[in-house]
């Protein structure tokens, strides 16, 4: 009897150490999604072509497509093909608080992975490389940052570009008058209407805004890169299981070459709603990151001293 009892006890111990433990291992964002049956994606309204609204007010873009690939991976991981997607609008100012507060599970837009932000959130491997430049009216005659001396500059609140431009202004003592805007569309409008002489922002977004303008030829993107801005999908900090799933999905797109199809779709093809083609080939910097993925962040003030 003692041998039988010992065998039963061993079998029970093994059982308790397998199935229950596996269930307990589900924590953080994955547990939240399993419990609710919903994955919440933060999106932008006007970050063309990364995350914006089409003419049906549906979130679309390069970042959105990649996030939907992550949703597919979540469904497979949880064995829940019925997981629903809920899109939640965010801005430059609200994206981190909304993510940290649990109201979204990841943010898919044009967010720079900075060392400062990594203190609050985590990032997937970089999926785009850009940097701060300046958009002005051609008629202004401004050819670079020094041409802004004593003029008014608009910035989108909560962006790394704001910090980079202000740091440059302080170092060069340009005496710029800064005015804030809630989003990129409002910032661009300030330049279009003459309220501001320039708008510093990631170059790809400036080219997108110019291409979408009523008279694109009226505007010019000028200046050297004032900062380096690697974009990454943002998620909550200290959630290794979810980060691993996201990272593996992104790097999987890189290894398979599927990222090239997604990139071509949004940067080298006609995109909705106006059918514009940005004609923006993949940079050497991004090609290098596709070959060797990295989630390394940059200093918030770019190439200037904070």
């Amino acid at each position: 009897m003692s041998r039988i009892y010992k065998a039963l006890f061993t079998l029970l111990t093994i059982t308790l150490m397998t199935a229950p433990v596996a269930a307990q291992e589900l924590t953080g964002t994955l547990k939240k999604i399993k419990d609710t049956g919903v994955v919440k994606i933060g999106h932008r309204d006007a970050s063309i072509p990364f995350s914006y609204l089409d003419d049906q007010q549906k979130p679309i873009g390069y970042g959105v497509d990649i996030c939907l690939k992550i949703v597919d991976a979540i469904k497979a991981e949880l064995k829940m093909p019925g997981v629903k997607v809920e899109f939640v609008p965010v801005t430059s100012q609200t994206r981190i608080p909304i993510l940290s507060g649990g109201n979204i599970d990841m943010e898919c837009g044009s967010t720079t992975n900075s060392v400062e932000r990594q203190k609050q959130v985590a990032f997937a491997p970089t999926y785009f490389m850009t940097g701060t430049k300046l958009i002005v009216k051609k008629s202004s005659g401004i050819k670079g940052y020094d041409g802004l001396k004593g003029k008014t500059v608009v910035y989108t609140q909560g962006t790394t570009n704001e910090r980079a431009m202000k740091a440059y202004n302080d170092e060069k003592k340009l005496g710029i008058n800064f005015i804030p805007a809630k989003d990129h569309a409002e910032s661009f409008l300030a330049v279009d209407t003459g309220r501001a002489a320039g708008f510093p922002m990631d170059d790809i977004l400036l080219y997108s805004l110019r291409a979408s303008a009523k008279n694109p030829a009226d505007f010019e993107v000028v200046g050297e890169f004032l900062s380096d801005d690697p974009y990454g999908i943002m998620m909550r900090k200290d959630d290794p299981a979810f980060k691993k799933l996201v990272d593996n999905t992104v790097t999987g797109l890189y290894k398979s070459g599927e990222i090239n199809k997604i990139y071509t779709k949004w940067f080298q093809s006609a995109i909705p709603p106006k059918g514009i083609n940005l004609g923006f080939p993949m940079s050497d910097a991004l090609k290098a990151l596709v070959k060797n993925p990295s989630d390394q962040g940059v200093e918030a003030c770019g190439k200037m001293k904070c």
Side-chain angles (χ1 to χ4, degrees):
M1 290 294 293
S2 61
R3 291 180 180 177
I4 296 174
Y5 179 79
K6 186 175 181 180
L8 290 173
F9 179 79
T10 302
L11 179 62
L12 178 61
T13 301
I14 293 173
T15 302
L16 290 172
M17 291 176 63
T18 53
V21 170
Q24 290 173 10
E25 287 177 351
L26 201 60
T27 59
T29 302
L30 289 175
K31 183 178 187 306
K32 176 177 177 289
I33 294 170
K34 183 175 181 61
D35 291 345
T36 62
V38 177
V39 55
K40 295 186 177 183
I41 297 177
H43 73 91
R44 303 294 295 275
D45 289 346
S47 287
I48 301 171
F50 300 93
S51 179
Y52 66 105
L53 300 176
D54 64 11
D55 52 2
Q56 302 297 317
Q57 299 300 294
K58 175 186 175 183
I60 58 173
Y62 174 74
V64 173
D65 275 5
I66 293 175
C67 274
L68 290 177
K69 294 290 184 182
I70 295 170
V71 172
D72 290 341
I74 291 170
K75 291 178 179 180
E77 176 73 14
L78 299 179
K79 296 179 175 57
M80 293 176 64
V83 165
K84 297 180 180 179
V85 175
E86 180 180 330
F87 286 102
V88 179
V90 299
T91 67
S92 297
Q93 287 183 297
T94 64
R95 54 192 167 185
I96 290 179
I98 287 178
L99 175 65
S100 299
N103 293 322
I104 59 174
D105 300 311
M106 53 183 168
E107 189 261 354
C108 308
S110 52
T111 299
T112 297
N113 178 358
S114 71
V115 173
E116 181 180 344
R117 285 175 177 159
Q118 285 186 359
K119 296 175 184 177
Q120 304 177 69
V121 296
F123 287 87
T126 298
Y127 66 7
F128 193 81
M129 274 297 297
T130 183
T132 302
K133 285 196 174 185
L134 187 71
I135 195 163
V136 298
K137 280 192 170 181
K138 279 187 178 179
S139 59
S140 70
I142 297 171
K143 297 300 180 183
Y145 306 105
D146 292 344
L148 297 171
K149 188 172 184 178
K151 299 184 184 300
T152 297
V153 168
V154 64
Y155 63 85
T156 302
Q157 293 175 297
T159 60
T160 54
N161 316 92
E162 171 192 346
R163 294 187 181 93
M165 189 70 246
K166 287 182 175 178
Y168 187 91
N169 176 62
D170 291 343
E171 183 169 303
K172 301 296 183 179
K173 297 179 171 53
L174 296 178
I176 293 173
N177 173 46
F178 289 99
I179 58 174
K182 64 177 172 48
D183 56 33
H184 305 329
E186 184 178 301
S187 292
F188 183 70
L189 182 62
V191 176
D192 189 16
T193 57
R195 288 184 58 236
F199 167 39
M201 180 44 58
D202 300 334
D203 71 332
I204 180 59
L205 297 180
L206 295 180
Y207 285 116
S208 299
L209 288 165
R210 185 181 69 175
S212 303
K214 184 177 181 181
N215 298 300
D218 290 348
F219 303 92
E220 190 172 11
V221 177
V222 300
E224 299 297 322
F225 278 125
L226 198 60
S227 66
D228 295 316
D229 292 88
Y231 288 175
I233 293 166
M234 192 166 57
M235 65 202 100
R236 275 180 288 280
K237 192 175 176 65
D238 300 323
D239 191 347
F242 188 64
K243 178 166 170 52
K244 181 179 179 181
L245 181 146
V246 172
D247 288 1
N248 287 345
T249 303
V250 174
T251 56
L253 294 174
Y254 294 175
K255 290 177 181 178
S256 69
E258 190 172 358
I259 190 65
N260 297 311
K261 296 179 182 178
I262 299 174
Y263 187 95
T264 299
K265 173 184 175 182
W266 292 104
F267 294 93
Q268 296 181 288
S269 307
I271 59 174
K274 297 183 179 181
I276 61 172
N277 186 335
L278 297 176
F280 204 91
M282 188 179 290
S283 67
D284 291 339
L286 182 55
K287 288 178 182 177
L289 285 165
V290 167
K291 188 175 181 180
N292 296 293
S294 171
D295 63 357
Q296 184 176 351
V298 294
E299 293 295 337
C301 295
K303 298 177 181 178
M304 306 305 296
K305 294 180 179 178
C306 295

